[in-house]
Coordinates of all heavy atoms in Angstrom, one line a residue:
M1 N -146.5 104.0 -48.6 CA -146.0 104.4 -50.0 C -144.7 105.2 -49.9 O -143.8 104.9 -50.6 CB -147.1 105.0 -50.7 CG -146.8 105.2 -52.3 SD -146.5 103.7 -53.3 CE -147.8 103.9 -54.5
N2 N -144.9 106.3 -49.1 CA -143.7 107.2 -49.0 C -142.5 106.5 -48.4 O -141.3 106.6 -48.8 CB -144.0 108.5 -48.3 CG -144.6 109.5 -49.1 OD1 -144.5 109.5 -50.3 ND2 -145.5 110.4 -48.5
D3 N -142.8 105.6 -47.4 CA -141.7 104.9 -46.8 C -141.0 104.0 -47.7 O -139.7 103.9 -47.8 CB -142.3 104.0 -45.6 CG -142.6 104.8 -44.5 OD1 -142.2 106.0 -44.4 OD2 -143.3 104.3 -43.4
Q4 N -141.8 103.3 -48.6 CA -141.2 102.6 -49.7 C -140.3 103.4 -50.6 O -139.1 103.0 -50.8 CB -142.3 101.7 -50.4 CG -141.7 100.9 -51.5 CD -141.0 99.7 -50.8 OE1 -141.5 99.1 -49.9 NE2 -139.8 99.4 -51.4
N5 N -140.8 104.5 -51.0 CA -140.0 105.4 -51.9 C -138.8 105.8 -51.2 O -137.7 105.8 -51.9 CB -140.8 106.6 -52.4 CG -142.0 106.1 -53.4 OD1 -141.8 105.2 -53.9 ND2 -142.9 107.0 -53.5
N6 N -138.8 106.1 -49.9 CA -137.7 106.6 -49.3 C -136.6 105.5 -49.1 O -135.5 105.8 -49.3 CB -138.1 107.0 -47.8 CG -138.8 108.5 -47.9 OD1 -138.7 109.1 -48.9 ND2 -139.5 108.7 -46.8
S7 N -137.1 104.3 -48.9 CA -136.2 103.2 -48.7 C -135.6 102.9 -50.1 O -134.3 102.5 -50.0 CB -136.7 102.0 -48.0 OG -137.5 101.3 -48.9
D8 N -136.3 103.0 -51.2 CA -135.7 102.8 -52.5 C -134.6 103.8 -52.7 O -133.5 103.4 -53.3 CB -136.8 102.9 -53.7 CG -137.7 101.6 -53.6 OD1 -137.4 100.7 -52.9 OD2 -138.7 101.8 -54.4
T9 N -135.0 105.1 -52.4 CA -134.0 106.1 -52.6 C -132.6 105.8 -51.9 O -131.6 106.0 -52.3 CB -134.6 107.5 -52.2 OG1 -135.8 107.6 -52.9 CG2 -133.6 108.7 -52.5
L10 N -132.9 105.4 -50.6 CA -131.7 105.1 -49.7 C -130.9 104.0 -50.4 O -129.6 104.0 -50.4 CB -132.0 104.8 -48.2 CG -130.9 104.6 -47.3 CD1 -130.1 105.9 -47.2 CD2 -131.5 104.2 -45.9
D11 N -131.6 102.9 -50.8 CA -130.9 101.7 -51.4 C -130.1 102.2 -52.5 O -129.0 101.9 -52.7 CB -131.8 100.7 -51.8 CG -132.5 99.9 -50.7 OD1 -132.0 100.0 -49.5 OD2 -133.4 99.1 -51.0
N12 N -130.7 103.1 -53.4 CA -129.9 103.6 -54.6 C -128.7 104.4 -54.1 O -127.6 104.2 -54.7 CB -130.8 104.5 -55.4 CG -131.8 103.6 -56.2 OD1 -131.6 102.5 -56.5 ND2 -132.9 104.3 -56.6
A13 N -128.8 105.1 -53.1 CA -127.8 106.0 -52.6 C -126.6 105.1 -52.0 O -125.5 105.3 -52.2 CB -128.2 107.0 -51.4
V14 N -127.0 104.0 -51.3 CA -126.1 103.1 -50.8 C -125.4 102.4 -51.9 O -124.1 102.3 -51.9 CB -126.7 101.9 -49.9 CG1 -125.8 100.7 -49.5 CG2 -127.2 102.6 -48.6
R15 N -126.0 102.0 -52.9 CA -125.4 101.4 -54.2 C -124.5 102.3 -54.7 O -123.3 102.0 -55.0 CB -126.5 101.0 -55.1 CG -126.8 99.5 -55.2 CD -127.6 99.1 -56.6 NE -128.8 99.8 -56.5 CZ -129.9 99.3 -55.8 NH1 -129.8 98.2 -55.1 NH2 -131.1 100.0 -55.8
R16 N -124.9 103.7 -54.8 CA -124.1 104.6 -55.4 C -122.7 104.9 -54.7 O -121.6 104.8 -55.2 CB -124.7 105.9 -55.6 CG -124.2 107.0 -56.4 CD -125.1 108.0 -56.9 NE -124.5 109.0 -57.6 CZ -124.2 108.9 -58.9 NH1 -124.7 107.8 -59.6 NH2 -123.7 109.8 -59.7
L17 N -122.9 105.0 -53.3 CA -121.6 105.2 -52.4 C -120.7 103.9 -52.6 O -119.5 104.1 -52.7 CB -122.2 105.3 -51.1 CG -121.1 105.4 -50.0 CD1 -120.2 106.7 -50.2 CD2 -121.7 105.5 -48.5
L18 N -121.3 102.6 -52.5 CA -120.4 101.4 -52.6 C -119.8 101.4 -53.9 O -118.7 100.9 -54.1 CB -121.3 100.3 -52.2 CG -121.7 100.2 -50.7 CD1 -122.5 99.0 -50.3 CD2 -120.6 100.6 -49.6
Q19 N -120.6 101.8 -54.9 CA -119.9 101.6 -56.3 C -118.7 102.6 -56.4 O -117.6 102.1 -56.8 CB -121.0 102.1 -57.4 CG -120.6 101.8 -58.8 CD -121.5 102.5 -59.8 OE1 -122.6 103.0 -59.4 NE2 -121.2 102.4 -61.0
W20 N -118.9 103.8 -55.9 CA -117.7 104.7 -55.9 C -116.6 104.3 -55.0 O -115.5 104.3 -55.5 CB -118.3 106.1 -55.4 CG -117.1 107.1 -55.1 CD1 -116.5 107.9 -56.0 CD2 -116.5 107.3 -53.8 NE1 -115.6 108.6 -55.3 CE2 -115.6 108.3 -54.0 CE3 -116.8 106.9 -52.5 CZ2 -114.8 108.6 -53.0 CZ3 -116.0 107.3 -51.5 CH2 -115.0 108.3 -51.7
R21 N -116.9 103.7 -54.0 CA -115.8 103.1 -53.0 C -115.2 102.0 -53.6 O -114.0 101.9 -53.6 CB -116.6 102.7 -51.7 CG -115.9 102.3 -50.7 CD -116.7 102.1 -49.4 NE -116.0 101.7 -48.2 CZ -115.8 100.4 -47.9 NH1 -116.4 99.5 -48.6 NH2 -115.2 100.2 -46.8
G22 N -116.1 101.2 -54.3 CA -115.4 100.0 -55.1 C -114.4 100.4 -56.1 O -113.4 99.8 -56.3
I23 N -114.7 101.4 -56.8 CA -113.8 102.0 -57.8 C -112.6 102.4 -57.2 O -111.5 102.2 -57.7 CB -114.5 103.1 -58.7 CG1 -115.7 102.5 -59.5 CG2 -113.5 103.8 -59.6 CD1 -116.6 103.7 -60.1
R24 N -112.6 103.2 -56.1 CA -111.4 103.6 -55.4 C -110.6 102.5 -54.9 O -109.3 102.5 -54.9 CB -111.8 104.4 -54.1 CG -112.6 105.8 -54.4 CD -111.8 106.8 -55.0 NE -111.7 106.8 -56.5 CZ -112.5 107.2 -57.4 NH1 -113.6 107.9 -57.0 NH2 -112.4 107.1 -58.7
I25 N -111.3 101.3 -54.5 CA -110.5 100.1 -54.0 C -109.8 99.5 -55.2 O -108.6 99.1 -55.1 CB -111.4 99.1 -53.4 CG1 -112.0 99.7 -51.9 CG2 -110.8 97.7 -53.1 CD1 -113.1 98.9 -51.4
T26 N -110.4 99.4 -56.3 CA -110.0 98.8 -57.6 C -108.7 99.6 -58.0 O -107.6 99.1 -58.3 CB -110.9 98.7 -58.6 OG1 -112.1 98.1 -58.2 CG2 -110.4 98.2 -59.9
E27 N -108.8 100.9 -57.9 CA -107.6 101.9 -58.3 C -106.5 101.5 -57.3 O -105.3 101.5 -57.9 CB -108.1 103.4 -58.1 CG -109.0 103.8 -59.2 CD -109.4 105.2 -59.0 OE1 -109.3 105.7 -57.9 OE2 -110.0 105.7 -59.9
A28 N -106.7 101.5 -56.1 CA -105.7 101.2 -55.2 C -105.0 99.9 -55.4 O -103.8 99.8 -55.4 CB -106.2 101.3 -53.7
R29 N -105.7 98.9 -55.8 CA -105.2 97.5 -56.1 C -104.4 97.7 -57.3 O -103.3 97.1 -57.4 CB -106.4 96.5 -56.3 CG -106.8 96.0 -55.0 CD -107.6 94.7 -55.4 NE -108.5 94.3 -54.2 CZ -108.2 94.0 -53.1 NH1 -106.8 93.7 -52.7 NH2 -109.0 93.7 -52.1
G30 N -104.8 98.6 -58.3 CA -104.1 98.7 -59.6 C -102.8 99.3 -59.3 O -101.8 99.1 -60.0
R31 N -102.7 100.3 -58.3 CA -101.5 100.9 -58.1 C -100.5 100.1 -57.2 O -99.4 100.5 -57.0 CB -101.8 102.2 -57.3 CG -102.4 103.4 -57.9 CD -102.3 104.6 -57.3 NE -103.0 104.6 -55.9 CZ -104.4 104.8 -55.7 NH1 -105.0 105.5 -56.7 NH2 -104.8 104.8 -54.5
G32 N -101.1 99.0 -56.8 CA -100.2 98.1 -55.9 C -100.1 98.6 -54.5 O -99.2 98.3 -53.8
D33 N -101.1 99.3 -54.1 CA -101.2 99.9 -52.7 C -101.2 98.7 -51.7 O -101.8 97.6 -52.0 CB -102.3 100.7 -52.3 CG -102.3 102.1 -53.1 OD1 -101.2 102.3 -53.8 OD2 -103.2 102.9 -53.0
R34 N -100.7 98.9 -50.5 CA -100.8 97.9 -49.4 C -102.2 97.8 -48.9 O -102.9 98.9 -48.8 CB -99.9 98.2 -48.3 CG -98.3 98.0 -48.7 CD -97.4 98.6 -47.6 NE -97.7 97.8 -46.3 CZ -96.8 96.8 -46.1 NH1 -95.8 96.5 -46.9 NH2 -97.0 96.0 -45.0
F35 N -102.7 96.6 -48.6 CA -104.1 96.5 -48.1 C -104.1 95.8 -46.8 O -103.2 95.1 -46.4 CB -104.9 95.6 -49.1 CG -105.6 96.4 -50.2 CD1 -104.7 97.0 -51.2 CD2 -106.9 96.4 -50.3 CE1 -105.3 97.7 -52.1 CE2 -107.6 97.2 -51.3 CZ -106.8 97.8 -52.2
F36 N -105.1 96.1 -45.9 CA -105.4 95.6 -44.7 C -106.8 95.3 -44.6 O -107.7 96.1 -44.7 CB -104.9 96.4 -43.5 CG -105.1 95.9 -42.1 CD1 -104.4 94.8 -41.7 CD2 -106.1 96.4 -41.3 CE1 -104.6 94.2 -40.5 CE2 -106.4 96.0 -40.0 CZ -105.7 94.8 -39.6
M37 N -107.2 94.0 -44.3 CA -108.6 93.6 -44.1 C -109.6 94.2 -45.3 O -110.5 94.6 -45.1 CB -109.2 94.1 -42.8 CG -108.6 93.3 -41.6 SD -109.1 93.9 -40.0 CE -110.9 93.6 -40.1
G38 N -108.9 93.9 -46.5 CA -109.7 94.2 -47.7 C -109.7 95.7 -48.2 O -110.4 96.1 -49.1
L39 N -109.0 96.6 -47.3 CA -109.1 98.1 -47.7 C -107.7 98.6 -47.7 O -106.8 98.1 -47.1 CB -109.9 98.9 -46.7 CG -111.4 98.4 -46.6 CD1 -112.1 99.2 -45.4 CD2 -112.1 98.7 -47.9
P40 N -107.5 99.6 -48.5 CA -106.2 100.2 -48.7 C -105.6 100.7 -47.3 O -106.4 101.3 -46.5 CB -106.4 101.4 -49.6 CG -107.5 101.0 -50.4 CD -108.5 100.3 -49.5
D41 N -104.4 100.3 -46.9 CA -103.8 100.9 -45.8 C -104.0 102.4 -45.5 O -104.2 102.8 -44.5 CB -102.3 100.6 -45.8 CG -101.8 99.2 -45.3 OD1 -102.8 98.4 -45.0 OD2 -100.6 98.9 -45.1
A42 N -103.9 103.1 -46.6 CA -104.0 104.5 -46.5 C -105.3 105.0 -45.9 O -105.3 106.0 -45.2 CB -103.7 105.2 -47.9
W43 N -106.4 104.2 -46.1 CA -107.7 104.7 -45.6 C -107.6 104.6 -44.1 O -108.5 105.3 -43.4 CB -108.8 103.7 -46.2 CG -108.9 103.9 -47.7 CD1 -108.1 104.4 -48.5 CD2 -110.1 103.4 -48.3 NE1 -108.6 104.4 -49.8 CE2 -109.9 103.8 -49.8 CE3 -111.2 102.7 -48.0 CZ2 -110.8 103.4 -50.8 CZ3 -112.2 102.5 -49.0 CH2 -111.9 102.7 -50.4
Y44 N -106.9 103.8 -43.5 CA -106.8 103.7 -41.9 C -106.0 104.9 -41.4 O -106.0 105.0 -40.3 CB -106.3 102.3 -41.6 CG -107.3 101.1 -42.0 CD1 -106.8 100.4 -43.2 CD2 -108.3 100.8 -41.3 CE1 -107.6 99.3 -43.6 CE2 -109.1 99.7 -41.8 CZ -108.7 99.0 -42.9 OH -109.5 97.9 -43.2
E45 N -105.2 105.3 -42.2 CA -104.1 106.3 -41.7 C -104.8 107.6 -41.2 O -104.5 108.1 -40.2 CB -103.0 106.6 -42.7 CG -102.0 105.5 -42.8 CD -101.1 105.6 -44.1 OE1 -101.2 106.6 -44.7 OE2 -100.5 104.5 -44.3
S46 N -105.8 108.0 -41.9 CA -106.6 109.2 -41.5 C -108.0 108.8 -41.9 O -108.5 109.3 -42.8 CB -106.0 110.5 -42.1 OG -105.8 110.3 -43.4
P47 N -108.6 108.0 -41.0 CA -109.9 107.6 -41.3 C -110.9 108.5 -41.6 O -111.1 109.6 -40.8 CB -110.2 106.6 -40.1 CG -109.0 106.5 -39.3 CD -108.1 107.7 -39.7
M48 N -111.8 108.2 -42.6 CA -112.9 109.1 -43.0 C -114.1 108.2 -43.2 O -113.9 107.1 -43.8 CB -112.6 109.8 -44.2 CG -113.5 110.9 -44.6 SD -112.6 112.3 -45.2 CE -113.2 113.5 -44.0
W49 N -115.2 108.6 -42.7 CA -116.5 107.8 -42.7 C -117.4 108.4 -43.6 O -117.7 109.7 -43.5 CB -116.9 107.5 -41.3 CG -115.9 106.9 -40.5 CD1 -115.0 107.5 -39.7 CD2 -115.7 105.5 -40.3 NE1 -114.2 106.7 -39.1 CE2 -114.6 105.4 -39.4 CE3 -116.2 104.3 -40.8 CZ2 -114.0 104.2 -39.1 CZ3 -115.7 103.1 -40.5 CH2 -114.7 103.0 -39.5
A50 N -118.2 107.7 -44.4 CA -119.2 108.3 -45.1 C -120.5 107.4 -45.1 O -120.5 106.2 -44.9 CB -118.8 108.3 -46.6
C51 N -121.7 108.1 -45.2 CA -123.0 107.5 -45.1 C -123.6 107.8 -46.4 O -123.2 108.6 -47.2 CB -123.9 107.8 -44.0 SG -124.6 109.5 -44.3
A52 N -124.7 107.0 -46.6 CA -125.4 107.1 -48.0 C -126.2 108.5 -48.1 O -126.8 108.7 -49.1 CB -126.3 106.0 -48.3
N53 N -126.3 109.1 -47.0 CA -127.0 110.5 -47.1 C -126.0 111.6 -47.3 O -126.4 112.8 -47.2 CB -127.7 110.7 -45.7 CG -128.9 109.8 -45.6 OD1 -129.7 109.6 -46.5 ND2 -129.1 109.3 -44.4
G54 N -124.8 111.2 -47.7 CA -123.8 112.3 -48.2 C -123.1 112.9 -47.0 O -122.4 114.0 -47.2
H55 N -123.1 112.4 -45.9 CA -122.3 113.0 -44.8 C -120.9 112.3 -44.7 O -120.8 111.2 -44.9 CB -123.0 112.7 -43.4 CG -124.3 113.2 -43.3 ND1 -125.4 112.5 -42.9 CD2 -124.8 114.4 -43.5 CE1 -126.4 113.2 -42.9 NE2 -126.2 114.5 -43.3
V56 N -119.8 113.1 -44.5 CA -118.6 112.5 -44.3 C -118.0 113.2 -43.0 O -118.3 114.4 -42.7 CB -117.6 112.8 -45.4 CG1 -117.8 111.9 -46.7 CG2 -117.5 114.3 -45.8
S57 N -117.2 112.4 -42.3 CA -116.7 112.8 -41.1 C -115.5 111.9 -40.6 O -115.4 110.7 -41.1 CB -117.7 112.7 -40.0 OG -117.2 113.1 -38.7
T58 N -114.6 112.4 -39.8 CA -113.6 111.7 -39.3 C -114.0 111.1 -37.9 O -113.3 110.3 -37.4 CB -112.3 112.6 -39.0 OG1 -112.8 113.7 -38.1 CG2 -111.8 113.2 -40.3
K59 N -115.3 111.3 -37.5 CA -115.8 110.7 -36.2 C -117.1 110.1 -36.6 O -117.6 110.3 -37.6 CB -116.1 111.9 -35.3 CG -114.9 112.8 -34.9 CD -115.4 113.7 -33.9 CE -114.2 114.5 -33.3 NZ -113.8 115.6 -34.2
Y60 N -117.4 109.0 -35.6 CA -118.5 108.2 -35.8 C -119.2 108.0 -34.6 O -118.5 108.2 -33.5 CB -118.3 107.1 -36.7 CG -117.3 106.2 -36.1 CD1 -117.5 105.4 -35.0 CD2 -115.9 106.3 -36.5 CE1 -116.6 104.6 -34.3 CE2 -114.9 105.5 -36.0 CZ -115.3 104.6 -34.9 OH -114.4 103.8 -34.2
L61 N -120.4 107.5 -34.6 CA -121.0 107.1 -33.2 C -120.9 105.5 -33.2 O -121.0 104.9 -34.2 CB -122.5 107.4 -33.2 CG -122.8 108.8 -33.0 CD1 -124.4 109.0 -33.1 CD2 -122.4 109.2 -31.6
K62 N -120.7 105.0 -32.0 CA -120.7 103.6 -31.9 C -121.9 103.2 -31.1 O -122.2 103.7 -30.0 CB -119.4 103.2 -31.1 CG -119.2 101.7 -31.0 CD -117.7 101.5 -31.8 CE -117.6 100.0 -32.1 NZ -116.6 99.8 -33.2
S63 N -122.7 102.3 -31.8 CA -123.9 101.9 -31.1 C -123.8 100.4 -31.0 O -123.4 99.7 -31.6 CB -125.1 102.2 -32.1 OG -126.2 101.3 -31.8
E64 N -124.2 100.0 -29.7 CA -124.1 98.6 -29.4 C -125.0 97.7 -30.3 O -124.6 96.6 -30.8 CB -124.6 98.3 -27.9 CG -123.4 97.7 -27.1 CD -123.8 97.6 -25.6 OE1 -124.8 96.8 -25.3 OE2 -123.2 98.2 -24.8
R65 N -126.1 98.2 -30.6 CA -127.0 97.5 -31.4 C -126.7 97.6 -32.9 O -127.0 96.7 -33.7 CB -128.6 98.0 -31.1 CG -129.6 97.3 -31.6 CD -130.9 97.7 -30.9 NE -131.1 99.1 -31.0 CZ -131.8 99.6 -32.0 NH1 -132.2 98.7 -33.1 NH2 -132.0 100.9 -32.2
R66 N -126.4 98.7 -33.4 CA -126.2 99.0 -34.8 C -124.8 99.1 -35.3 O -124.6 99.5 -36.6 CB -127.1 100.2 -35.2 CG -128.5 100.0 -34.9 CD -129.4 101.2 -35.1 NE -129.3 101.8 -36.3 CZ -129.5 103.0 -36.7 NH1 -129.7 103.9 -35.8 NH2 -129.3 103.4 -38.0
G67 N -123.8 99.0 -34.4 CA -122.4 99.1 -34.8 C -122.0 100.6 -35.0 O -122.5 101.4 -34.4
T68 N -121.1 100.8 -36.0 CA -120.7 102.2 -36.2 C -121.6 102.9 -37.2 O -122.0 102.4 -38.2 CB -119.3 102.2 -36.8 OG1 -119.2 101.3 -38.0 CG2 -118.2 101.7 -35.9
I69 N -122.1 104.1 -36.7 CA -123.2 104.8 -37.5 C -122.8 106.3 -37.6 O -121.9 106.8 -36.9 CB -124.5 104.6 -36.7 CG1 -124.5 105.1 -35.3 CG2 -125.1 103.2 -36.9 CD1 -125.7 105.1 -34.6
C70 N -123.4 106.9 -38.6 CA -123.2 108.3 -38.8 C -123.5 109.2 -37.7 O -124.6 109.2 -37.1 CB -124.1 108.7 -40.1 SG -123.8 110.4 -40.5
L71 N -122.6 110.2 -37.4 CA -122.7 111.2 -36.4 C -124.0 112.1 -36.8 O -124.7 112.6 -35.9 CB -121.5 112.0 -36.4 CG -121.1 112.7 -35.2 CD1 -121.0 111.7 -34.0 CD2 -119.8 113.3 -35.2
S72 N -124.3 112.4 -38.0 CA -125.3 113.4 -38.3 C -126.6 112.7 -38.5 O -127.6 113.2 -38.1 CB -125.0 113.9 -39.7 OG -123.7 114.6 -39.6
C73 N -126.7 111.5 -39.0 CA -128.1 110.9 -39.3 C -128.3 109.5 -38.8 O -129.3 108.8 -39.0 CB -128.3 111.0 -40.7 SG -127.3 109.9 -41.7
Q74 N -127.1 108.9 -38.1 CA -127.3 107.5 -37.5 C -127.5 106.5 -38.5 O -127.9 105.3 -38.2 CB -128.3 107.4 -36.5 CG -128.0 108.2 -35.1 CD -128.4 109.6 -35.3 OE1 -129.4 110.0 -35.5 NE2 -127.3 110.5 -35.1
A75 N -127.2 106.7 -39.8 CA -127.2 105.7 -40.9 C -126.0 104.8 -40.8 O -125.0 105.3 -40.2 CB -127.4 106.3 -42.2
Q76 N -125.9 103.7 -41.5 CA -124.8 103.0 -41.6 C -123.6 103.8 -42.2 O -123.9 104.6 -43.2 CB -125.1 101.7 -42.4 CG -123.8 100.7 -42.4 CD -124.2 99.5 -43.2 OE1 -125.2 99.3 -43.7 NE2 -123.2 98.5 -43.4
I77 N -122.4 103.6 -41.9 CA -121.3 104.2 -42.5 C -120.2 103.2 -43.0 O -120.2 102.2 -42.6 CB -120.6 105.2 -41.5 CG1 -120.3 104.5 -40.2 CG2 -121.5 106.5 -41.3 CD1 -119.3 105.4 -39.3
W78 N -119.4 103.7 -43.9 CA -118.3 102.9 -44.5 C -117.0 103.8 -44.4 O -117.1 105.0 -44.6 CB -118.7 102.5 -45.9 CG -119.7 101.6 -46.0 CD1 -119.5 100.3 -46.0 CD2 -121.2 101.9 -46.2 NE1 -120.8 99.6 -46.3 CE2 -121.8 100.6 -46.3 CE3 -121.9 103.0 -46.2 CZ2 -123.2 100.4 -46.3 CZ3 -123.2 102.9 -46.3 CH2 -123.9 101.6 -46.4
L79 N -115.9 103.1 -44.1 CA -114.7 103.7 -44.3 C -114.3 104.1 -45.7 O -114.5 103.2 -46.6 CB -113.5 102.8 -43.7 CG -112.2 103.3 -43.6 CD1 -112.1 104.4 -42.6 CD2 -111.2 102.2 -43.1
V80 N -114.0 105.3 -46.0 CA -113.7 105.7 -47.3 C -112.3 106.4 -47.4 O -111.8 106.9 -46.4 CB -114.9 106.7 -47.9 CG1 -116.2 105.9 -47.9 CG2 -115.0 108.0 -47.0
P81 N -111.9 106.7 -48.6 CA -110.7 107.5 -48.8 C -111.0 109.0 -48.4 O -112.1 109.4 -48.4 CB -110.3 107.4 -50.3 CG -111.6 107.0 -50.9 CD -112.4 106.2 -49.9
Q82 N -110.0 109.8 -48.2 CA -110.2 111.3 -48.0 C -111.0 111.9 -49.0 O -110.8 111.7 -50.1 CB -108.8 111.9 -47.9 CG -108.0 111.5 -46.8 CD -108.5 112.1 -45.4 OE1 -108.8 113.4 -45.3 NE2 -108.8 111.4 -44.4
I83 N -112.1 112.5 -48.5 CA -113.0 113.2 -49.4 C -113.6 114.4 -48.6 O -113.8 114.4 -47.5 CB -114.0 112.2 -50.0 CG1 -114.9 112.9 -51.1 CG2 -114.9 111.7 -48.8 CD1 -115.8 111.9 -51.8
T84 N -113.9 115.5 -49.4 CA -114.6 116.6 -48.8 C -116.1 116.4 -48.9 O -116.6 115.6 -49.6 CB -114.2 118.0 -49.5 OG1 -114.7 117.9 -50.8 CG2 -112.7 118.1 -49.6
Q85 N -116.8 117.3 -48.0 CA -118.2 117.1 -48.1 C -118.7 117.5 -49.5 O -119.8 117.0 -50.0 CB -118.8 118.3 -47.1 CG -120.2 118.1 -46.7 CD -120.6 116.8 -46.0 OE1 -120.0 116.7 -44.8 NE2 -121.3 116.0 -46.4
A86 N -118.1 118.5 -50.1 CA -118.5 118.9 -51.5 C -118.2 117.7 -52.5 O -119.1 117.6 -53.3 CB -117.7 120.1 -51.9
E87 N -117.2 117.0 -52.4 CA -116.9 116.0 -53.2 C -117.8 114.9 -53.1 O -118.3 114.3 -54.1 CB -115.4 115.5 -53.1 CG -114.4 116.4 -53.7 CD -113.0 116.1 -53.2 OE1 -112.9 115.4 -52.1 OE2 -112.0 116.6 -53.9
I88 N -118.1 114.6 -51.8 CA -119.1 113.4 -51.6 C -120.5 113.9 -52.2 O -121.3 113.0 -52.6 CB -119.2 112.9 -50.2 CG1 -119.8 111.6 -50.0 CG2 -120.0 113.9 -49.3 CD1 -119.0 110.4 -50.3
A89 N -120.8 115.0 -52.1 CA -122.1 115.6 -52.6 C -122.1 115.3 -54.1 O -123.2 115.0 -54.6 CB -122.3 117.0 -52.3
E90 N -121.1 115.5 -54.8 CA -121.0 115.3 -56.3 C -121.2 113.8 -56.5 O -122.0 113.4 -57.4 CB -119.5 115.7 -56.7 CG -119.3 117.1 -57.0 CD -119.9 117.5 -58.5 OE1 -119.2 117.2 -59.4 OE2 -121.0 118.1 -58.5
V91 N -120.4 113.0 -55.8 CA -120.5 111.6 -55.9 C -122.0 111.1 -55.7 O -122.4 110.3 -56.5 CB -119.6 110.8 -54.9 CG1 -120.0 109.3 -54.9 CG2 -118.2 111.0 -55.3
M92 N -122.7 111.7 -54.7 CA -124.0 111.1 -54.4 C -125.1 111.8 -55.2 O -126.3 111.3 -55.2 CB -124.3 111.5 -52.9 CG -123.4 110.7 -51.9 SD -123.2 108.9 -52.2 CE -124.9 108.3 -51.8
S93 N -124.8 113.0 -55.9 CA -125.8 113.5 -56.8 C -125.9 112.6 -58.1 O -125.0 112.0 -58.4 CB -125.4 114.9 -57.3 OG -124.4 114.8 -58.2
N94 N -127.0 112.5 -58.6 CA -127.2 111.7 -59.9 C -126.7 112.5 -61.1 O -126.9 112.0 -62.3 CB -128.5 111.3 -60.0 CG -128.9 110.1 -58.9 OD1 -128.1 109.3 -58.8 ND2 -130.1 110.4 -58.3
K95 N -126.2 113.6 -61.0 CA -125.8 114.5 -62.1 C -124.5 114.1 -62.8 O -124.4 114.4 -63.8 CB -125.7 116.0 -61.6 CG -127.0 116.6 -61.1 CD -126.9 118.0 -60.6 CE -127.9 118.5 -59.7 NZ -127.5 119.0 -58.6
K96 N -123.6 113.5 -62.0 CA -122.5 113.2 -62.5 C -122.1 111.7 -62.5 O -122.5 111.0 -61.5 CB -121.3 113.9 -61.6 CG -120.0 114.0 -62.2 CD -119.0 114.8 -61.3 CE -117.7 114.5 -61.7 NZ -116.7 114.6 -60.5
E97 N -121.5 111.2 -63.5 CA -121.1 109.8 -63.6 C -120.0 109.6 -62.5 O -119.2 110.4 -62.3 CB -120.6 109.4 -65.0 CG -121.7 109.3 -66.0 CD -122.6 108.1 -65.5 OE1 -122.3 106.9 -65.4 OE2 -123.8 108.4 -65.4
I98 N -120.1 108.4 -62.0 CA -119.1 108.1 -60.9 C -117.8 107.6 -61.7 O -117.8 106.7 -62.5 CB -119.6 107.0 -60.1 CG1 -120.7 107.4 -59.2 CG2 -118.4 106.4 -59.2 CD1 -121.4 106.2 -58.4
V99 N -116.7 108.4 -61.4 CA -115.4 108.1 -62.1 C -114.4 107.9 -61.0 O -114.5 108.4 -59.9 CB -115.0 109.2 -63.2 CG1 -115.9 109.0 -64.4 CG2 -115.0 110.5 -62.5
Ligands
ZN101 ZN1 -125.2 110.6 -42.3

């Protein structure tokens, strides 16, 4: 039961992170930013990685089995625009609408 609840919570967090990320991508397209492999060029210039548990880092772990994963919690990570730990906490909290 608890496992189910935890995975639901994680799914929601992943959705929230990807929704926020999708908005940033749409904005970059709207500005006419250059893209590489579906993401804004700028994101690759100083790469930042985020997981659904609210960790952001410029570093990540590489796992043969699971690909690139979070340094703090080993969850899946995504390349994101520059963001601080405080800002990602805001994004991941349910208190604020994603804008
Ligand atoms: Zn993490």
Side-chain angles (χ1 to χ4, degrees):
M1 188 61 124
N2 275 340
D3 284 351
Q4 185 61 46
N5 287 343
N6 288 342
S7 77
D8 283 353
T9 304
L10 184 61
D11 284 351
N12 285 334
V14 167
R15 254 194 298 280
R16 195 166 177 82
L17 178 63
L18 294 183
Q19 186 188 358
W20 168 80
R21 187 174 179 266
I23 292 167
R24 300 285 88 86
I25 291 170
T26 303
E27 284 174 354
R29 280 199 200 288
R31 287 193 301 265
D33 289 2
R34 294 172 63 96
F35 273 65
F36 177 72
M37 290 177 60
L39 296 175
D41 271 8
W43 293 17
Y44 297 99
E45 283 163 17
S46 41
M48 187 135 240
W49 304 88
C51 78
N53 290 316
H55 303 124
V56 287
S57 179
T58 56
K59 298 187 175 75
Y60 57 81
L61 287 175
K62 193 111 190 164
S63 156
E64 239 174 66
R65 197 164 51 85
R66 298 170 58 206
T68 51
I69 54 177
C70 177
L71 205 56
S72 302
C73 71
Q74 287 84 58
Q76 185 178 358
I77 51 168
W78 289 269
L79 186 63
V80 296
Q82 287 290 307
I83 188 168
T84 65
Q85 194 72 59
E87 286 166 341
I88 197 85
E90 278 278 281
V91 169
M92 298 310 291
S93 79
N94 289 313
K95 292 174 201 135
K96 195 179 166 206
E97 282 304 300
I98 295 175
V99 287

